[in-house]
Amino acid sequence: MKRTTIPYIPHEQLDWQSLALQLETQGVRLHIDTLNWAEAYPYHPIVLVDLAYTSKGIALSYFVRGLELRTLSEGDGHYVHEDSCVEFFMQPSRGEAYINFEFNAAGVCYASHHSSPKESVRFSAEEYAMILRQSTHQGQRLNLEEGLHSWQLQAFIPWRTMGYAEGEIPKRLWANFYKCADGTKHPHYLSWAPIEEAEPAFHRPQFFGELTLGPR
């Protein structure tokens, strides 16, 4: 199992510019570079995520450089996996239940509560409103099929949105980080922690890595 420690940052008032600087200098950097199905899907964009936690939740900053840029999802609650997409799947404890957070390069989010990989309940409008985001192409609907593109996405997810009680901060959680773009000319399926499946499948909590929260 892959493991890492998430550092604490004392960031109580959300300001995207200062948060990005803190994540760059104080966060842990993970490379989303496991090409699980290389024979069928060999394309390998550059994908990084910097993350840290605060007393209120987890902050993530993704950087992507790769071919094509697609942001055609209609808005929160609509699928984004065919777009240029980064994802964070997590569970508070080991088992089948987990939550998936998926974002396209325009900041659109798709999220749901899973009791198992085959059973889910989509987030409500109120839950989506709690997930704060800022991206290079915020609010833009694009389909740039040619060329090399770089983009960034920052997200802040409160502990409550991840299923914890008010004021609760966990000691550890289990998660995986992904990059995909099913609807582009170069579809790809990258992960942080390896996935031992014959075909692309991200909804596999048994392969999540362990994230330990560092001291405050």
Side-chain angles (χ1 to χ4, degrees), residues 89-100 112-117 119 162 174 204-206 208:
F89 286 28
M90 62 77 59
Q91 57 184 180
S93 59
R94 298 302 279 160
E96 288 198 323
Y98 62 96
I99 302 175
N100 59 305
S112 55
H113 300 274
H114 282 260
S115 55
S116 74
E119 299 175 293
M162 289 182 276
W174 287 263
R204 296 294 183 270
Q206 65 267 37
F208 286 5

Side-chain angles (χ1 to χ4, degrees), residues 41-216:
Y41 302 98
Y43 181 59
H44 194 312
I46 296 172
V47 191
L48 310 171
V49 60
D50 295 334
L51 65 153
Y53 79 96
T54 76
S55 62
K56 297 181 179 179
I58 285 181
L60 308 101
S61 181
Y62 288 89
F63 170 82
V64 179
R65 192 189 75 183
L67 297 172
E68 293 110 42
L69 179 65
R70 187 184 193 272
T71 59
L72 296 181
S73 176
E74 295 180 9
D76 287 354
H78 295 269
Y79 291 123
V80 295
H81 64 274
E82 292 190 345
D83 287 347
S84 302
C85 177
V86 290
E87 304 180 357
F88 168 54
F89 286 28
M90 62 77 59
Q91 57 184 180
S93 59
R94 298 302 279 160
E96 288 198 323
Y98 62 96
I99 302 175
N100 59 305
F101 298 93
E102 308 176 11
F103 306 93
N104 74 6
V108 174
C109 180
Y110 175 83
S112 55
H113 300 274
H114 282 260
S115 55
S116 74
K118 294 183 178 181
E119 299 175 293
S120 65
V121 177
R122 297 190 186 193
F123 268 36
S124 65
E126 291 75 17
E127 287 176 305
Y128 279 117
M130 296 174 69
I131 306 169
L132 306 180
R133 306 143 244 169
Q134 177 63 41
S135 66
T136 307
H137 304 285
Q138 188 76 21
Q140 300 178 34
R141 297 190 70 192
L142 303 168
N143 190 19
L144 307 178
E145 296 186 342
E146 304 297 333
L148 187 64
H149 302 272
S150 296
W151 55 275
Q152 293 177 276
L153 177 132
Q154 294 174 286
F156 186 85
I157 305 174
W159 295 120
R160 286 185 60 195
T161 312
M162 289 182 276
Y164 298 99
E166 180 70 35
E168 180 183 4
I169 301 176
K171 294 182 178 179
R172 65 178 54 83
L173 54 99
W174 287 263
N176 210 347
F177 302 86
Y178 307 115
K179 171 71 180 76
C180 64
D182 297 30
T184 65
K185 291 182 177 179
H186 293 82
H188 49 273
Y189 303 92
L190 282 72
S191 67
W192 170 62
I195 303 169
E196 298 177 11
E197 292 282 359
E199 297 180 352
F202 286 172
H203 291 260
R204 296 294 183 270
Q206 65 267 37
F207 301 118
F208 286 5
E210 184 177 355
L211 309 182
T212 301
L213 275 64
R216 298 175 61 181

